[in-house]
Amino acid sequence: MTISEPLREGLPWDIVPGGNDDDHLREECGVFGVIGARDSAAMVALGLHALQHRGQEAVGISSYDGQEFYSRRALGHVAQNFSSGAAIAELPGSMASGHVRYSTTGGSGLRNVQPLFADLATGGFSIAHNGNISNAIHLKRDLVKRGAIFQSTSDTEVIIHLVATSRYPTLLDRFIDALRMVEGAYSLIVMTPEGMIACRDPLGIRPLVMGRIGDSVVFASETVALDVVGAEFVRQVEPGELVEVSMDGTVLSHHPFGNRKARPCIFEHVYFSRPDSIVDGSSVYQVRKAIGEQLALESPADADLVVPVPDSGVPAAIGYAQQSGIPFELGIIRSHYVGRTFIQPSDGARHADVKRKHNANRALVQGKRIVLIDDSIVRGTTSLKIVQMMRDAGASEVHMRIASPPTSHSCFYGVDTPERSKLLAAQMDIAAMGEFIHADSLAFVSIDGLYRAVGEKDRKAKCPQYCDACFTGDYPTTLTDLGERDQKQLSLPVEKVA
């Protein structure tokens, strides 16, 4: 999440989701922290490697040895930058935190790579952030008027300045004071000379879990990162909770924001989290299978094969196949050695990206009626190309089934989605979408079916259990930086394309 320069009225381009030409929803980042470990930086690097799917464009690790803070930040993957002993040796100390991120337009460059660091009156302050502060422009404008000088275009830096200018006596109280002024979604790992603080926003929109390995306390965006470093899962950090761990290992829990109904992001179950993670007490893999089962019950198809769009469509396709009795087959093979679309040098290379990532298994699909299972449709361009790829491979029919409801609204809580005008489901009804991607039929799991898959009876309209704004437009917080005009547009119905 970035704040553009100079400040402008309304919402700058790099805060408008969709600063890239990818046709997939993307998490913005993942965080990992450990305190009380001799090899803290090495453990953070390993944990970040397990979270690489949450951010593949930049990585940073900061550490503290009881006297000094150290930092190493770079563009690229974890393995590219932290696989050598020399790199880890630059980060001594028993406390360390790290961050993997995606950037949006205007937000790339080392100055935005986290963790961010500042020397405050109370000492060093390092912060890693997953999420999005939805009133960051408003806050930054006020801070700049009061003399603040920003070194990055990240919304995370707003928190640093709010802490620095707070008049409360203790650092913890200053931090809480700062968080009371921000809105939106955040999971934060903060390091100070006194220890580590991990916290989630009051609605728990972005995930954060806590574990232990020996005498060390570990925090991570997903449980899979705990597994990889050999830490035992203790619990999730509760919505609105601040967990304070001192340098001597004392753990204190604070709940300064009262009790509010949690609204964790439901798309963690659909796509963002690794299938071997546990989210909100449920296996992501099992939930995705259950979504496929719901799809089969709600939208059956007369077909010969169930084919996932790899890799994210695989668990749902297994569930669909088991429920429907239609055989599951890998009718599409994915290459895992293809770079991201937007870094390719020409338009022709970008257009060829789908074929370089996915190739039809012609021997299986030729002459067959196919049910294609994918996690979502964003702009629709990838679905169009994959459906055509199946037809080119000889499939006689292609029926598309999507393991989430139509994505009809943008996310402003730390997920990189296109602006609403570029979301296919905001412009067309399902029948028109099916025609656009040239499928013989198209269906999405219902919102109630999605809730049943995650273990809820249905979506309670007056108090939904998750943040599902990308499907429903029901944003659980105010969105100050959108401005009144944009707020009104969010509430207006979008004319459907016939």
Side-chain angles (χ1 to χ4, degrees):
M1 175 58 211
T2 54
I3 301 175
S4 70
E5 297 176 318
L7 290 170
R8 294 175 291 184
E9 293 299 321
L11 194 66
W13 166 249
D14 58 342
I15 287 186
V16 175
N20 64 81
D21 62 354
D22 222 6
D23 189 29
H24 243 298
L25 301 181
R26 307 187 314 181
E27 254 285 10
E28 291 287 339
C29 51
V31 295
F32 188 96
V34 60
I35 180 170
R38 288 180 56 188
D39 54 350
S40 63
M43 191 181 299
V44 170
L46 189 58
L48 291 179
H49 193 274
L51 299 174
Q52 188 73 85
H53 60 287
R54 300 183 77 91
Q56 299 182 33
E57 291 171 19
V59 57
I61 297 177
S62 296
S63 69
Y64 179 68
D65 67 356
Q67 298 293 327
E68 300 289 340
F69 283 87
Y70 305 85
S71 181
R72 181 182 174 92
R73 302 182 296 165
L75 302 179
H77 287 190
V78 178
Q80 291 174 286
N81 296 288
F82 292 99
S83 59
S84 71
I88 299 299
E90 296 178 11
L91 301 163
S94 62
M95 179 172 65
S97 65
H99 188 271
V100 288
R101 77 186 293 261
Y102 280 120
S103 63
T104 53
T105 298
S108 60
L110 280 175
R111 65 176 178 164
N112 288 323
V113 180
Q114 297 187 30
L116 299 182
F117 177 80
D119 275 311
L120 306 183
T122 53
F125 186 90
S126 170
I127 183 169
H129 173 206
N130 173 22
N132 172 46
I133 306 304
S134 58
N135 63 338
I137 294 176
H138 174 80
L139 292 171
K140 181 176 181 179
R141 184 180 291 113
D142 181 62
L143 287 163
V144 169
K145 287 179 179 178
R146 290 157 51 192
I149 300 173
F150 281 74
Q151 301 299 313
S152 75
T153 58
S154 169
D155 62 339
T156 310
E157 192 178 354
V158 168
I159 298 175
I160 295 177
H161 286 278
L162 291 175
V163 173
T165 56
S166 173
R167 297 187 177 184
Y168 281 87
T170 69
L171 177 63
L172 181 64
D173 286 337
R174 290 183 178 192
F175 186 48
I176 292 171
D177 183 40
L179 295 183
R180 291 189 190 280
M181 288 184 266
V182 305
E183 66 183 35
Y186 53 82
S187 286
L188 302 171
I189 296 178
V190 169
M191 297 193 304
T192 75
E194 299 174 2
M196 180 172 285
I197 304 171
C199 67
R200 292 173 75 189
D201 64 82
L203 297 179
I205 298 174
R206 300 262 66 85
L208 192 63
V209 296
M210 177 180 175
R212 277 191 177 273
I213 179 168
D215 295 328
S216 306
V217 179
V218 184
F219 299 98
S221 291
E222 292 183 38
T223 61
V224 66
L226 302 181
D227 297 338
V228 168
V229 302
E232 178 186 1
F233 170 73
V234 175
R235 62 180 178 86
Q236 70 173 1
V237 177
E238 296 299 325
E241 181 185 18
L242 282 76
V243 180
E244 184 184 15
V245 186
S246 65
M247 295 301 292
D248 65 7
T250 303
V251 179
L252 298 175
S253 174
H254 308 275
H255 293 82
F257 307 114
N259 295 318
R260 298 176 61 183
K261 179 69 176 176
R263 294 282 297 274
C265 173
I266 201 168
F267 223 93
E268 291 287 343
H269 291 287
V270 174
Y271 176 69
F272 297 139
S273 294
R274 268 179 46 165
D276 46 344
S277 280
I278 304 296
V279 173
D280 299 323
S282 298
S283 160
V284 174
Y285 177 79
Q286 293 295 344
V287 168
R288 289 176 187 169
K289 279 185 62 179
I291 295 173
E293 293 169 2
Q294 287 292 322
L295 259 177
L297 291 169
E298 295 176 355
S299 303
D302 190 9
D304 303 308
L305 298 176
V306 175
V307 173
V309 177
D311 289 322
S312 56
V314 171
I318 293 173
Y320 192 101
Q322 291 178 349
Q323 179 64 43
S324 66
I326 302 172
F328 169 95
E329 294 286 358
L330 295 178
I332 300 173
I333 306 301
R334 180 189 173 190
S335 169
H336 292 266
Y337 307 101
V338 178
R340 297 197 58 77
T341 306
F342 74 94
I343 65 173
Q344 302 305 322
S346 68
D347 286 340
R350 280 192 290 269
H351 296 326
D353 190 64
V354 168
K355 285 193 174 182
R356 291 185 298 111
K357 287 182 179 178
H358 301 104
N359 189 48
N361 193 346
R362 183 180 295 270
L364 277 177
V365 305
Q366 191 166 19
K368 299 294 196 305
R369 299 167 298 171
I370 304 298
V371 179
L372 272 179
I373 309 290
D374 204 356
D375 61 90
S376 61
I377 291 180
V378 183
R379 287 182 168 96
T381 53
T382 297
S383 298
L384 171 64
K385 293 172 184 177
I386 289 177
V387 169
Q388 188 59 49
M389 182 172 64
M390 290 288 96
R391 296 199 186 281
D392 292 343
S396 60
E397 295 178 14
V398 182
H399 302 274
M400 196 89 180
R401 298 292 181 267
I402 306 299
S404 63
T407 304
S408 55
H409 292 74
S410 298
C411 175
F412 299 96
Y413 300 120
V415 177
D416 187 28
T417 56
E419 59 218 71
R420 196 178 182 204
S421 64
K422 295 181 180 179
L423 292 169
L424 194 65
Q427 304 304 314
M428 301 179 181
D429 59 24
I430 294 176
M433 292 174 70
E435 292 180 10
F436 176 84
I437 67 172
H438 297 169
D440 290 284
S441 69
L442 171 65
F444 297 76
V445 73
S446 68
I447 189 70
D448 283 342
L450 177 59
Y451 270 78
R452 285 191 290 271
V454 297
E456 302 290 348
K457 185 176 180 181
D458 53 28
R459 183 185 191 271
K460 299 175 183 176
K462 292 184 179 180
C463 188
Q465 302 93 321
Y466 289 88
C467 177
D468 53 23
C470 54
F471 307 133
T472 65
D474 179 10
Y475 294 94
T477 74
T478 54
L479 301 170
T480 298
D481 288 343
L482 286 177
E484 289 186 10
R485 176 178 57 83
D486 302 276
Q487 289 274 19
K488 291 177 181 178
Q489 287 181 351
L490 285 173
S491 64
L492 292 174
V494 175
E495 183 179 354
K496 297 297 182 181
V497 178

